[in-house]
Every structure is written in C-alpha cells, then in structure tokens.
Amino acid sequence: MRIESYLKDKAELVHQALDDYTTQLEGIPSTLKEAMRYSLLAGGKRLRPVLVLATVEALGGDSHKALPFACAIEMIHTYSLIHDDLPAMDDDDVRRGKPTNHRVYGEAQAILAGDALLTEAFGLMAQGAKETGLSPDVALTLIAEGSRAAGAKGMVGGQVDDLLSENQQITLAELESIHQRKTGDLIAFSVRAGALVGGADEACLASLTHYAYRLGLAFQIQDDILDVVGDSQLIGKPVGSDEANHKATFPALIGLEKSRQRLLEMTDQAKNALIGHAGLNPERLLQIADYLLARDR
Amino acid sequence: MRIESYLKDKAELVHQALDDYTTQLEGIPSTLKEAMRYSLLAGGKRLRPVLVLATVEALGGDSHKALPFACAIEMIHTYSLIHDDLPAMDDDDVRRGKPTNHRVYGEAQAILAGDALLTEAFGLMAQGAKETGLSPDVALTLIAEGSRAAGAKGMVGGQVDDLLSENQQITLAELESIHQRKTGDLIAFSVRAGALVGGADEACLASLTHYAYRLGLAFQIQDDILDVVGDSQLIGKPVGSDEANHKATFPALIGLEKSRQRLLEMTDQAKNALIGHAGLNPERLLQIADYLLARDR
C-alpha cells in the first residue's frame, strides 16, 4: 500500500473512533458536545495518532490496544489548539480552514470544550486500557508519560515560553527548546505509546524516541517554512500569520535556505535512528518522515 | 482529637504535599510555576483531599496510598476555580481573599496554569500509584472515575449549564443537577477514591457515595446561604456576588428559610447513609458533616 493510502486509512480509523467515542458521551450539555466535536472532527493530518498506530505495527504489536491512546493524544492535541487560538493567546480566527472554536461558540465554551477534551483524554486512556486488556502497569506508565508530555514540563510549558518570547529576540537553541516542549514532547509520547504497547526493548525505545524528536522538529521547521512560502488554501490558515503574530520562527531566525537545510538534516537523523533494531520493521515510519518532508500543507 | 484540629492537621498535610510536589517541578517556566502555586497554595478548606484521607482512615486503609489522589483532586479543584474566575466566565476579581489568578498573571497565563494543574493531576495519580504500590487495577479505575467526575459528564458539564442558566429561570431540580455535576461529582470522587484505596465493599462504597452527594449538596446550599448572609471577610469574597452575577441559587429559588431546611435535611441524609457498615468507623465523616453545617466561611 502506498504511504498516502496508509496514512488515509489510519486517519479514517482514528476519525471514526473519535466520532464513536464522543457520540457515546451521553447526558452532557449539547453545546459542549457540539463544541468538542467541532474541533475534534475538523480533520487535520492526525499525525500523532497515526504515529502511535504505525509504531505499534512496526513492532508487530496489537494496534487495538494502542487505539485508545492514539485517540486520547489527538484529544489532547485538539484541546491545545483550541486554547492556543483563544483571544488571550494567539487570537486566531481560522484553523484547518474553519472559524476557530471560540469564534463559533464563544470564549467561555471554547475554554470549557478544551478542558473537557483534556480531561476525557485521561479517562479514555485508563478506561481503554481496562477494556482492551493492556497491562495496567504499562497503562499507568503511559498515563504518567502523557501527563508529563502535555503538562508543565512539556506542552503547556512550551506554550508559556512561546507566549513570553513574542516580540523578543531569542536564540536558535531557545526556539528549539520551545518547539521540543510545545510539539516535540507530544509527538515523542505518541511514538513511545506505540512502542510501549508494542513491547519495544529499552534500546529500541530510545531509538524510537530519538526518531520522534527529530521528526517533531522537522515537522515544526516545515510548518514555519510553509507559513512563509505555502498556499493558504492548502494549509487552512493565512500565510504570514507567524510574522503577523510576532512569532519567532526558523526562517525569521536563520533564513529560508538554512531552515530547509536543517529540515533535511533533522529528517535524515530521524530516519537513521531507526536502523538496525531486530523486531522493528521501520518501513512505514521511514515513509512518514519522507512524506512529512515533502508535504505542502 | 477535636474535629477542628483533625481537619487542620489533614489540611496541613495536604498543603505540605502540594508544596513539595510543585517545588519538585523542575525546568518549567518560572511564571508558570508561580501561577500554579499561587492558586494551589492559597489555602482554602481542602475539603476534597481531607475527605479522601478521612474516608480511607474510616476504613482502616493506608492513607499514604491515598495521598497522591487527595493532592490530585485538589489540583483539579484549583484548576476549575482559576478557569471559572476568568473574564470569559464569572469574571471574578477576588478568591480566598486574594486577587484571582488572572488578575495577577494575566488571562493567558491563568488559562495555562489551570491547564497545567489539570494535566499534572492525572500524572500525579498514575505516578503516585506506582510509587506507593497501589494496585494498578484500582489506580486505573480511579483515573477513569476522576476523569468522569471532572469531565464533560461531571464538573465541566455542570459549569457549562451553570453559565447557560445565567439570567434564566431554572427549576430546583435543574439547579440541583448543575450542582451535582459542578461540585458534587468531584466531592463524590474524593470519597470514592478514599473508599477504593481503603478496600470498601460494594455496599459500603454505595453508602459512602450517597453520603458524599448529600454532603456536596449541603455544602453548596450553605455556600449559597453564606453568599447572602455571610461575612465577606470570613468567606474571602464579596457577599452578594451570586446575585451580582445573576446566578441561580437556593435562596433565590426557594428562599432562605427553605434553603436552611434543605441544608439540614441533606446533612441528616448524608450522616444516616453511614450507619451500620461493619469495617467502617464513620466518626470523622459524621463530624465533617456537622462541621460543614455549622461553618461560617
């Protein structure tokens, strides 16, 4: 199967699971359900859950046991987008080609929809582990790791520093530290969740983690590049929004040419990390790295 | 030991644990750490974590294993207060006698401090269970229940309906449904967490859950009464804020006299639920119900 079809299949599987899961949320206020589903089912690449599934499959593991974690991670990612877009944060009007959550439901409901998605994500991990028979020990490890990746040391901390760095001169190391936490940690958690469900040994887990962080950085560099040279129709938001928001970006800091070079380096390093592990068939993960490198959205 | 001293001891134990836990959060932005600690360590009654500990002790269980859950619940409660106080929600300036989080750190940081507290709470449950040797099965059950209590079906859903009911005529049943979800579910989860860690059997768990919901409702009725007749110095916020915010309250709906009557009924029902379970020494839980009934803050 071509990688495009593979990614599409997995994204559809995740979409369906998220649709089912939120449909089953009964007895909740209809506004809340609608606001949660509006952003959760708005599409997007589903990169994180696809990485969970591709990693567990690369290890020959049971992707059924990984699916709740894949969905939970997408819920966490979606909550972070809703909150990042709020007027008090980036004040964005458009996301994935549609009005942002708070533009449709108002600020209060958008904050609460984000809160609910984040809260439900941890419940889905715990409940999902019980239902699929995943080892409770592994499940607890994953919940602890997920909290760390999404929390103060990870994603939230990265967002705090991102906001504080607006209109400030920062170094390349500082920019990479922000991205490592703001997007890298959750991407790494996605791969690690697949790896732990798939039973990766220590060495393989370390290599997969390295792959994930390099991939995450490459992904962010490409995002920054597309914000300069991309097609706003394809990327679903106005080109030049980083500059308008006074965001530090790779092109702003080191120029487009060096950004492209660094993107290639990171992709190479990601791929090289996967070589030489018995029990790991890295084909899809390698293809994902190449696919992301070539993406235009 | 008198109940006042018992409650003070437990509240101090929880305060110290929360202080230690957030001190250990290394490598996070200092603004974020400060904003999280500002609200988390602002005092308050610590009702929820005290209920966790009192319940596990009433069952002769190991309160050491319950402490991470007690702290996590207080973190969830604190996040909900920070978000509820935001300009987009209740727009409150004072909480526990101090300026609200967003008045000190700004809206963006307050949203993120709340997000971080919520996220870290689930990590603390998972990590704490591993460190204290709590059964991973019980830990997963508690994480799933905690998510339900705090999420769309519970606290967040209650807050959504609370906001939607502003300036609306609602019935007593609707008001009680809002409070059951907005405060009752997390109070019930506190008692259930203590009960499950303490090894309560099914019947005892059901009775403790009944106690908790009645206690939670009594607590809310008393809150509403104090907002009318209380001393703003003691309650740490202006008297009459519910009326100013056009909130539906028990006194507004059924009058002060009937509210006091219902408060007594709920407290009686809470206490009666605890009678006659072998293995449960209900003394402290009964005292807590009486203590809350008589409180002036």
Side-chain angles (χ1 to χ4, degrees):
Chain A
M1 193 190 290
R2 291 184 57 223
I3 183 66
E4 289 79 4
S5 310
Y6 177 85
L7 295 175
K8 192 158 169 282
D9 275 10
K10 296 295 175 208
E12 278 173 11
L13 178 74
V14 168
H15 186 94
Q16 191 58 52
L18 291 169
D19 191 356
D20 291 348
Y21 177 70
T22 50
T23 300
Q24 286 158 20
L25 279 176
E26 276 158 26
I28 78 169
S30 54
T31 337
L32 176 61
K33 192 174 195 166
E34 205 186 308
M36 289 168 75
R37 287 170 57 87
Y38 176 80
S39 293
L40 192 60
L41 303 179
K45 287 172 283 288
R46 309 289 190 199
L47 170 64
R48 291 156 193 80
V50 168
L51 281 171
V52 177
L53 300 175
T55 304
V56 74
E57 286 178 7
L59 290 155
D62 181 355
S63 64
H64 177 61
K65 290 184 179 171
L67 187 59
F69 291 89
C71 290
I73 290 169
E74 188 68 6
M75 289 162 74
I76 292 174
H77 174 57
T78 302
Y79 120 77
S80 77
L81 299 180
I82 296 173
H83 282 195
D84 282 5
D85 285 339
L86 286 168
M89 308 248 199
D90 290 350
D91 195 14
D92 277 322
D93 295 330
V94 180
R95 164 77 68 182
R96 291 172 176 168
K98 294 168 63 178
T100 46
N101 199 290
H102 65 92
R103 298 290 287 177
V104 180
Y105 299 97
E107 242 181 289
Q109 296 299 331
I111 294 169
L112 289 165
D115 291 346
L117 286 167
L118 173 59
T119 309
E120 298 297 329
F122 286 101
L124 180 54
M125 292 189 223
Q127 192 61 39
K130 287 170 89 85
E131 286 168 11
T132 63
L134 180 67
S135 145
D137 259 332
V138 171
L140 285 184
T141 299
L142 287 177
I143 291 168
E145 282 204 13
S147 161
R148 196 216 157 279
K153 290 186 185 181
M155 191 173 69
V156 174
Q159 171 68 359
V160 167
D161 278 341
D162 193 17
L163 288 174
L164 295 175
S165 75
E166 276 175 26
N167 301 307
Q168 303 287 321
Q169 277 293 340
I170 62 170
T171 64
L172 182 63
E174 286 165 339
L175 182 65
E176 291 194 353
S177 159
I178 289 172
H179 287 312
Q180 168 150 336
R181 287 172 290 146
K182 191 174 163 172
T183 58
D185 283 347
L186 200 61
I187 288 175
F189 174 58
S190 305
V191 169
R192 288 177 65 87
L196 286 167
V197 173
D201 63 32
E202 286 278 322
C204 187
L205 182 62
S207 293
L208 283 165
T209 305
H210 191 65
Y211 161 82
Y213 275 115
R214 290 300 186 244
L215 189 79
L217 201 51
F219 184 79
Q220 188 58 51
I221 297 170
Q222 180 70 308
D223 248 20
D224 284 0
I225 292 173
L226 288 173
D227 191 71
V228 180
V229 304
D231 178 331
S232 68
Q233 286 295 323
L234 292 177
I235 59 179
K237 59 182 181 184
V239 165
S241 64
D242 289 334
E243 202 180 342
N245 284 330
H246 309 282
K247 290 272 181 198
T249 65
F250 288 93
L253 219 59
I254 58 176
L256 260 182
E257 199 42 54
K258 280 202 176 155
S259 297
R260 287 196 173 108
Q261 199 179 314
R262 193 149 183 83
L263 167 63
L264 288 172
E265 277 167 22
M266 291 301 109
T267 303
D268 271 351
Q269 289 180 16
K271 290 164 67 181
N272 288 337
L274 299 179
I275 307 307
H277 287 283
L280 178 76
N281 176 356
E283 189 189 346
R284 289 302 186 196
L285 297 174
L286 295 170
Q287 289 174 338
I288 288 172
D290 283 330
Y291 176 83
L292 291 179
L293 180 66
R295 73 195 168 98
D296 57 9
R297 69 192 78 193
Chain B
M1 195 191 291
R2 292 182 57 221
I3 184 67
E4 288 79 4
S5 309
Y6 177 84
L7 294 175
K8 191 158 170 281
D9 274 11
K10 295 296 175 209
E12 278 173 11
L13 177 76
V14 168
H15 186 93
Q16 191 59 51
L18 291 169
D19 190 357
D20 290 350
Y21 177 69
T22 51
T23 300
Q24 286 158 21
L25 279 176
E26 277 157 25
I28 77 168
S30 54
T31 337
L32 176 61
K33 191 175 195 164
E34 206 186 307
M36 290 168 75
R37 287 170 56 87
Y38 176 80
S39 293
L40 191 61
L41 303 179
K45 289 172 281 289
R46 310 292 190 198
L47 170 63
R48 293 156 191 79
V50 168
L51 281 171
V52 178
L53 300 175
T55 304
V56 74
E57 286 177 7
L59 290 155
D62 181 354
S63 64
H64 178 61
K65 290 184 178 169
L67 188 59
F69 291 89
C71 290
I73 290 169
E74 188 68 6
M75 290 163 73
I76 292 174
H77 173 56
T78 302
Y79 120 77
S80 77
L81 299 181
I82 296 174
H83 281 194
D84 282 4
D85 286 338
L86 286 168
M89 308 249 200
D90 291 349
D91 196 13
D92 277 322
D93 294 331
V94 179
R95 165 76 68 181
R96 293 173 175 168
K98 294 167 65 179
T100 45
N101 198 291
H102 65 93
R103 299 289 287 178
V104 180
Y105 299 98
E107 243 180 288
Q109 296 300 330
I111 294 169
L112 290 164
D115 291 346
L117 284 168
L118 174 59
T119 310
E120 297 296 330
F122 286 101
L124 180 54
M125 292 190 224
Q127 192 62 38
K130 288 171 89 84
E131 286 169 12
T132 62
L134 180 68
S135 142
D137 259 333
V138 171
L140 285 183
T141 299
L142 288 178
I143 291 168
E145 282 205 11
S147 161
R148 195 215 158 279
K153 291 187 184 180
M155 192 173 69
V156 173
Q159 171 68 0
V160 167
D161 278 340
D162 192 19
L163 289 174
L164 296 176
S165 76
E166 276 174 26
N167 302 310
Q168 303 287 321
Q169 277 293 340
I170 62 169
T171 65
L172 183 63
E174 286 166 340
L175 181 64
E176 291 194 351
S177 158
I178 288 172
H179 287 312
Q180 169 150 336
R181 288 172 289 145
K182 191 173 164 175
T183 60
D185 283 347
L186 199 60
I187 288 175
F189 174 58
S190 305
V191 169
R192 289 177 64 87
L196 288 166
V197 172
D201 62 32
E202 285 279 321
C204 187
L205 182 63
S207 293
L208 283 165
T209 305
H210 191 63
Y211 161 82
Y213 275 116
R214 289 303 185 238
L215 189 79
L217 201 51
F219 184 79
Q220 189 59 51
I221 297 170
Q222 180 70 309
D223 248 20
D224 284 1
I225 292 173
L226 288 174
D227 192 71
V228 180
V229 303
D231 178 333
S232 68
Q233 286 296 322
L234 293 177
I235 60 179
K237 60 182 180 183
V239 165
S241 65
D242 289 335
E243 202 180 342
N245 283 331
H246 308 283
K247 290 275 181 199
T249 65
F250 289 93
L253 218 59
I254 58 176
L256 260 182
E257 200 42 53
K258 280 202 177 156
S259 298
R260 287 197 174 109
Q261 200 180 314
R262 194 149 182 82
L263 167 62
L264 287 172
E265 279 167 22
M266 291 301 109
T267 303
D268 271 351
Q269 290 181 15
K271 288 163 68 182
N272 288 337
L274 299 180
I275 307 306
H277 287 284
L280 179 75
N281 175 356
E283 191 189 344
R284 290 301 187 196
L285 297 174
L286 295 171
Q287 289 174 339
I288 289 172
D290 284 328
Y291 176 83
L292 290 179
L293 180 66
R295 74 195 168 99
D296 57 9
R297 68 193 77 195

